[in-house]
Amino acid sequence: MMNTDTLATSPTDLQVAQCASEPIRIPGAIQPHGWLAAVDWRSGGLVAFSENWSALLQSTPDMLAARIEGALDAVSGVRPGLIDGEGPVSCGTLTIGGRRLHVSGHRLGGLAYFELEADTDDAGNRAPIYSLARHLVPMMQRTDAVSELCRIVVAEMKRLTGFGRCLAYRFDADGHGEVLAEAIDPGYDAYAGHRFPGSDIPPQARELYRINHIRLIADAHYEPVPVRFVDGRDGTALDLSQAALRSVSPVHLEYMRNMRTLASMSVSIIVDGKLWGLVSCHDHAPRQLSWQARMACEHLGQLLSLQIEAKEENEQVTEQLRLRQQTLAIVAHLSDSDATLQRLVEEPGPLLRLARATGAAVILNDSCWAVGETPDHATLLALGQWLGNRIDQVWHSDRLPVEAASLGNEADNRADNEADNEAGNKVGNPLGPTAGLLAISISKLHRHHIVWFRPEIVQTILWAGDPRKESAIGEDSRLHPRRSFASWKQQVSGRSLPWTPGEIHAVQELRQALIGIVLRRAEEMAEVAMELGRVNKELEAFSYTVSHDLRAPMRHIAGFVDLVLEMEGGALSERSRRYLAHVKEASAHAGQLVDALLDFSRMGRSAIKPGSINTDHLIDDLIAEQNTLNKDRRIEWAVSRPLPRLWGDPILLQVAIRNLVTNAVKYTRPRDPARIEITGFETGDGVGLSISDNGVGFQMKYVNKLFGVFQRLHQTESFEGTGIGLASVRRIVERHGGHVEAWGEADRGARFRFTLPTREMAEAQAIDPAPGHGAFPLTMPP
C-alpha cells in the first residue's frame, strides 16, 4: 500500500491521556514466575510481599509474614550494601521447600526489594559473561559502523537467550523506531528495514526503559500475582520501577499477542544519558531466562551503548573539525574584504559545504544576495520578513512547506507589488523544490539573516503495520493496541535531510564570528568617521579662511585693471586692451568661485534654526525672480499645488531650492519653450519637492559626479556656473537629515528631488549634527 500524504502517526489526545495515566510503575502485581518481598531498609522488617509466597512456604496467612522474614534471613546481610536507585544485584541463592532459588536485591528509598527466581548452575567457562568477555568484545571493537555493531549484538543475544527473533532499533527524532539489525529463525516475520510507530511505546514507558535497562516477559498469557502490604494497604502504593518481576500493562500483553509473541525481552541502549534505542527479543512460545543470562544480556546492552556512544563522539569530533575548517575559511574570506555580509556569496563553496546545502542567501531588509538553488527574489524577501518575527539566533526545519505554509502567500503578495515581477514567477509553490531551511539572525535591529536551503527528498518508509491504525477504545472502555504488523509502505514528501546538531552548532559559531567581524569593522569605521570629522572641520576652516582672504585680492585685480584702462587706455594697443579684459573677466570668475566657496563653507559651519516653511510662497517668489531675470525667454511653469510645508532652516532651504530652480532655468536655455515642473510628494521617509525640466539632461552613468564640489558635466562656455551649486544642495539637505536624488537622460531633460524628515521625525531623530559633520554621512554595519 502506498500513501503520499503526511501521516498522523501519533495517538489521539484521549489515547495519550490514558497511556500517560496508566500506573506502570506501581501496577500492584508481579509476574508469576518469581516471588517478591519488600523489607524496611534499616530494620529488615517485612513491609510488602507477593501473594504467591503462601504456596512456596506452605504457610497460613497469619504466619506468612514471619515465615518470609525467616526465609530471607540468609540474605539480609547484603541489605546495607544496596545503593539507592541502582538496579538489582545478585544476593546469592536460597533453598526453600526443596527448590533452589536465586535472589536479587535493590533499594528504593527506605525499602529494600528482594526477588526470587528459579536458579541454574553456573556454567563456568561456558557462562554467558565469560563468553561475552572472551569473544564478543574484540569483535565489537573492530567494527566501524553502528549498523554492524547492532548486527553482531543481536546475533549474540539471540544465541545467549534462544529467542526466535532478536532485533535492534533506534529511535528517530519523531520517536519512531527504525530497525537496524535482525536475527530470526524460520517462521518469524522479518522486520529489518521497517519502522515501528512511536505511539507503540508511550513516553512513560520510554522513561522506564531509561531507568531499568532490562525487562523480561516470560509468558504473555500470565495472570498477575497481586502484591500487598503487611499492614493491609493496597499494593498499588509500592514502586516497582526497578523490579525485574514487575507486572506490565495489559495493553502491552495484548500487543504482544497480536504480534504472535508470547515471550519478549527488551534491553535498553542508553547513549549520553538518553534512550537511544532498544534490543528486543521475541518468541512464539513462553520462555524463561536465568538471572545469569539476563545479566549477560544487560551487560551486552551496556557494551553496545558504550560502543555507539564512542563511535558517535568520534563522528561528532570529525564532523566538528570539518565544520570548523569551513567556518575559518568563511571568516578568513570575509576578514579580507570590507566585511559586508553579502560578500559571503562571492565564495560560495565553504558557505554551502558548511551546512551541506544546495543554496544559500544573505537577506538584509529589502535586499538579498543568493547563490545556488534558492527560491526566487520575492520569496527570499518574504522569508526575511517571516524569519524576523520568529527567530532570535537560529531556526531550522526539514519540512519547511508545512511549518511555513503562510510563506507562499506572503511571497505572492510581495511579488504583486514589484514592478518588474513577471507573471510566470507566481505559478506553483514559491518555495519550489526547497524543503529544508537553516537560518541565523545577525542583527536584532534589522531583518538581517543568513539562510541555507536543502531540496526535498522523497522517501519510501516501510512500516511494521499501518501507522494510521491507532490503538482504539474497546467496548470494555479499555485501550486496545493495534492488531496488524504487516508491511505497509508510505511515501513521504515535502521533507529534506534533517539538519544535524553539529551543523546547527557550526552556524551558531559562524554567527558569533560574523558578529565579531562586523562589530570590529564598525569600530574601525567609527574611528575613521571621527578622523574624517576632524579633518572636515580643518578643511572647512581652511576653505573659509582662504576664500575670505582671497576676496580682497580678486577685487583689487579687477579694480587695478579698470584704473589702467581708464588712465592709460588711449596709449594701449588693441591687443593689450583685450588681454586686460581677459584678466578682468578671469578675476571676476575667480571672485565668484571664492564667494561660492565661502557660502559653501558657511553652510557647514552655521547652526540650523528649523521652522515651518510655506513652500508655495517660496516657489512663487523664485518663479517671479527667474521671470524677471529671463524676460527674453519663454518658460512654462507647472506647479502642482498645494505644495507640502517643509520643516527646516528657512534661509538654507531657500538656497537649496533656488539652486535647483536656477539650474533648471539655466539648462533649459536651448529650449523654446522651456518647461519646468515642480511637484510635492510624501513618503515614509518624509516630504519633499521634485523639480524636473526638458533641458539638456545628462547621462545616468555620471549621476554620482553631480553633487561633488566643482564637478561639471557641461562646458563652461555653454553654461556658466561654479560647480558648487548641487554640492551645496546636498550639504544642506543632508544636514537636515534628508537625501537628494537625480535622474536624467541626455538631451531629454533632468529631474531632481529632495526628501526631508517631517517635524515629528526630525525632533525624534535629533537630526542637527555638530557643525562640520553633515557632509560625510556614514552607514554603519548593523
Side-chain angles (χ1 to χ4, degrees):
M1 181 176 181
M2 187 70 69
N3 180 22
T4 58
D5 297 331
T6 301
L7 295 178
T9 57
S10 58
T12 65
D13 292 341
L14 177 62
Q15 294 163 358
V16 169
Q18 187 165 351
C19 285
S21 62
E22 191 173 7
I24 62 174
R25 292 175 180 252
I26 49 173
I30 65 169
Q31 299 179 54
H33 61 269
W35 297 263
L36 172 72
V39 303
D40 185 272
W41 180 68
R42 295 186 180 278
S43 67
L46 185 65
V47 175
F49 58 93
S50 59
E51 293 187 354
N52 58 350
W53 275 94
S54 58
L56 179 63
L57 297 174
Q58 302 296 320
S59 175
T60 59
D62 57 337
M63 294 294 296
L64 188 57
R67 292 289 305 276
I68 295 175
E69 288 183 358
L72 294 177
D73 281 344
V75 294
S76 61
V78 303
R79 187 178 69 253
L82 301 179
I83 300 176
D84 190 12
E86 291 195 357
V89 297
S90 178
C91 299
T93 60
L94 288 177
T95 301
I96 302 177
R99 302 181 64 173
R100 187 181 180 198
L101 305 174
H102 179 269
V103 184
S104 62
H106 65 278
R107 177 192 167 193
L108 280 179
L111 294 179
Y113 295 74
F114 294 101
E115 298 177 83
L116 285 69
E117 301 175 63
D119 188 38
T120 58
D121 293 332
D122 190 345
N125 289 348
R126 292 178 290 106
I129 294 294
Y130 177 82
S131 175
L132 201 64
R134 179 70 176 83
H135 302 290
L136 193 66
V137 171
M139 292 176 59
M140 296 176 68
Q141 291 175 335
R142 289 194 295 267
T143 59
D144 295 324
V146 170
S147 58
E148 181 65 14
L149 261 178
C150 293
R151 187 192 65 78
I152 293 174
V153 168
V154 298
E156 179 65 14
M157 200 169 290
K158 183 179 182 304
R159 185 189 67 81
L160 286 172
T161 62
F163 277 91
R165 175 176 55 222
C166 185
L167 53 87
Y169 60 90
R170 66 180 169 195
F171 297 117
D172 62 17
D174 296 322
H176 306 312
E178 179 186 1
V179 178
L180 301 179
E182 181 182 56
I184 58 174
D185 288 339
Y188 284 81
D189 294 331
Y191 294 120
H194 287 63
R195 294 192 189 184
F196 287 84
S199 56
D200 282 1
I201 307 178
Q204 62 165 340
R206 291 173 188 257
E207 178 60 18
L208 204 51
Y209 278 125
R210 191 185 66 83
I211 296 172
N212 193 343
H213 297 169
I214 187 168
R215 183 196 63 182
L216 171 69
I217 302 174
D219 187 352
H221 289 291
Y222 77 82
E223 290 294 330
V225 176
V227 174
R228 64 184 177 88
F229 283 87
V230 172
D231 58 11
R233 285 181 293 151
D234 188 278
T236 55
L238 189 65
D239 188 349
L240 299 179
S241 299
Q242 295 282 14
L245 295 172
R246 176 180 58 85
S247 185
V248 300
S249 166
V251 177
H252 183 73
L253 294 176
E254 185 177 353
Y255 178 94
M256 289 176 58
R257 294 192 292 268
N258 292 345
M259 199 179 184
R260 295 193 303 131
T261 298
L262 293 187
S264 75
M265 184 182 69
S266 298
V267 178
S268 304
I269 304 174
I270 306 297
V271 176
D272 196 24
K274 300 177 183 178
L275 183 64
W276 185 93
L278 291 173
V279 178
S280 293
C281 301
H282 307 141
D283 205 284
H284 287 165
R287 177 172 290 275
Q288 174 63 286
L289 287 182
S290 67
W291 165 267
Q292 291 83 359
R294 294 205 309 272
M295 289 303 98
C297 292
E298 183 177 0
H299 288 312
L300 182 54
Q302 292 172 347
L303 288 174
L304 177 60
S305 299
L306 291 173
Q307 288 290 324
I308 291 176
E309 186 168 341
K311 291 186 183 301
E312 289 192 345
E313 287 180 353
N314 288 336
E315 291 175 357
Q316 289 174 4
V317 169
T318 302
E319 180 72 356
Q320 288 175 1
L321 179 60
R322 182 188 70 82
L323 295 173
R324 185 65 58 81
Q325 291 173 340
Q326 301 299 331
T327 302
L328 291 176
I330 294 172
V331 172
H333 166 69
L334 200 63
S335 298
D336 293 337
S337 67
D338 59 5
T340 52
L341 298 188
Q342 57 264 37
R343 300 291 185 186
L344 292 173
V345 300
E346 295 179 354
E347 291 289 338
L351 186 66
L352 296 177
R353 288 193 294 269
L354 179 70
R356 292 186 300 167
T358 56
V362 177
I363 303 173
L364 174 58
N365 295 327
D366 291 328
S367 301
C368 64
W369 302 265
V371 63
E373 300 175 6
T374 66
D376 59 30
H377 181 81
T379 305
L380 288 176
L381 295 182
L383 177 63
Q385 183 74 40
W386 187 85
L387 287 171
N389 299 325
R390 285 165 176 81
I391 68 170
D392 179 31
Q393 294 185 356
V394 180
W395 190 88
H396 62 91
S397 171
D398 60 356
R399 56 193 81 181
L400 186 61
V402 175
E403 299 193 31
S406 62
L407 187 58
N409 296 330
E410 294 180 19
D412 282 344
N413 293 337
R414 182 179 287 269
D416 288 339
N417 295 328
E418 291 186 359
D420 60 347
N421 180 67
E422 298 179 2
N425 289 345
K426 297 185 290 181
V427 178
N429 176 17
L431 294 173
T434 298
L437 174 70
L438 175 62
I440 57 175
S441 173
I442 301 299
S443 171
K444 293 183 178 180
L445 301 178
H446 304 276
R447 297 193 307 275
H448 202 175
H449 304 97
I450 301 174
V451 293
W452 291 265
F453 300 96
R454 281 180 179 172
E456 174 189 35
I457 301 295
V458 179
Q459 302 179 65
T460 298
I461 298 177
L462 194 61
W463 293 94
D466 186 347
R468 300 174 304 176
K469 295 180 179 179
E470 295 295 339
S471 309
I473 305 298
E475 296 179 358
D476 54 0
S477 298
R478 186 170 65 81
L479 186 67
H480 292 271
R482 59 192 179 96
R483 293 178 172 81
S484 174
F485 295 87
S487 295
W488 190 89
K489 291 183 180 180
Q490 173 203 4
Q491 190 177 68
V492 178
S493 58
R495 299 183 65 169
S496 71
L497 291 176
W499 307 96
T500 67
E503 290 163 345
I504 297 171
H505 179 72
V507 300
Q508 288 176 320
E509 285 191 337
L510 177 63
R511 176 182 180 272
Q512 296 300 324
L514 294 180
I515 290 176
I517 292 174
V518 170
L519 290 178
R520 185 176 70 249
R521 190 55 55 92
E523 292 176 354
E524 294 173 356
M525 293 183 68
E527 293 178 1
V528 171
M530 293 178 63
E531 181 64 18
L532 284 175
R534 185 187 64 79
V535 173
N536 193 33
K537 280 186 176 182
E538 294 178 356
L539 286 174
E540 287 183 344
F542 174 76
S543 64
Y544 179 83
T545 302
V546 170
S547 58
H548 183 273
D549 293 347
L550 285 178
R551 294 180 75 188
M554 291 299 104
R555 290 173 181 171
H556 289 164
I557 292 173
F560 282 119
V561 168
D562 288 337
L563 286 175
V564 170
L565 289 174
E566 180 180 348
M567 297 174 61
E568 306 293 340
L572 296 175
S573 66
E574 182 65 26
R575 177 181 297 179
S576 298
R577 286 195 296 271
R578 188 169 66 251
Y579 287 165
L580 287 174
H582 289 330
V583 170
K584 183 177 180 180
E585 180 181 345
S587 65
H589 181 69
Q592 292 175 355
L593 287 177
V594 168
D595 290 340
L597 185 61
L598 185 59
D599 291 339
F600 184 74
S601 176
R602 285 171 177 166
M603 290 173 194
R605 297 171 62 85
S606 60
I608 290 179
K609 299 177 181 179
S612 181
I613 301 172
N614 189 320
T615 315
D616 282 310
H617 292 170
L618 176 60
I619 291 297
D620 288 341
D621 292 343
L622 291 176
I623 291 176
E625 176 184 291
Q626 292 300 320
N627 286 337
T628 301
L629 295 175
N630 298 274
K631 293 180 179 180
D632 57 338
R633 292 181 53 193
R634 283 199 305 160
I635 303 177
E636 296 179 356
W637 300 90
V639 182
S640 299
R641 301 181 187 275
L643 296 173
R645 296 186 73 90
L646 302 178
W647 178 257
D649 188 295
I651 296 177
L652 292 180
L653 288 181
Q654 183 184 40
V655 172
I657 298 173
R658 174 181 280 110
N659 281 338
L660 293 177
V661 171
T662 301
N663 275 358
V665 171
K666 178 169 59 176
Y667 290 108
T668 56
R669 190 177 298 154
R671 304 291 184 253
D672 187 18
R675 180 173 176 81
I676 301 174
E677 183 177 354
I678 302 175
T679 60
F681 62 88
E682 182 174 356
T683 67
D685 296 332
V687 297
L689 294 181
S690 174
I691 301 173
S692 58
D693 61 64
N694 64 341
V696 296
F698 59 87
Q699 297 182 36
M700 284 299 293
K701 64 181 180 180
Y702 300 119
V703 68
N704 293 327
K705 297 180 60 178
L706 285 175
F707 298 99
V709 180
F710 302 130
Q711 295 293 327
R712 298 177 53 86
L713 301 185
H714 303 279
Q715 295 181 355
T716 307
E717 293 78 4
S718 301
F719 299 98
E720 71 283 354
T722 62
I724 296 180
L726 288 179
S728 298
V729 172
R730 185 178 71 170
R731 168 167 286 196
I732 292 170
V733 171
E734 288 182 349
R735 286 206 61 199
H736 282 77
H739 58 273
V740 186
E741 301 167 281
W743 295 268
E745 186 175 353
D747 207 37
R748 296 293 297 274
R751 176 163 62 95
F752 291 84
R753 81 173 198 173
F754 65 88
T755 307
L756 298 178
T758 63
R759 178 174 183 174
E760 293 76 12
M761 294 178 181
E763 291 177 347
Q765 298 173 3
I767 61 172
D768 186 15
H773 287 69
F776 294 94
L778 291 175
T779 301
M780 303 300 291

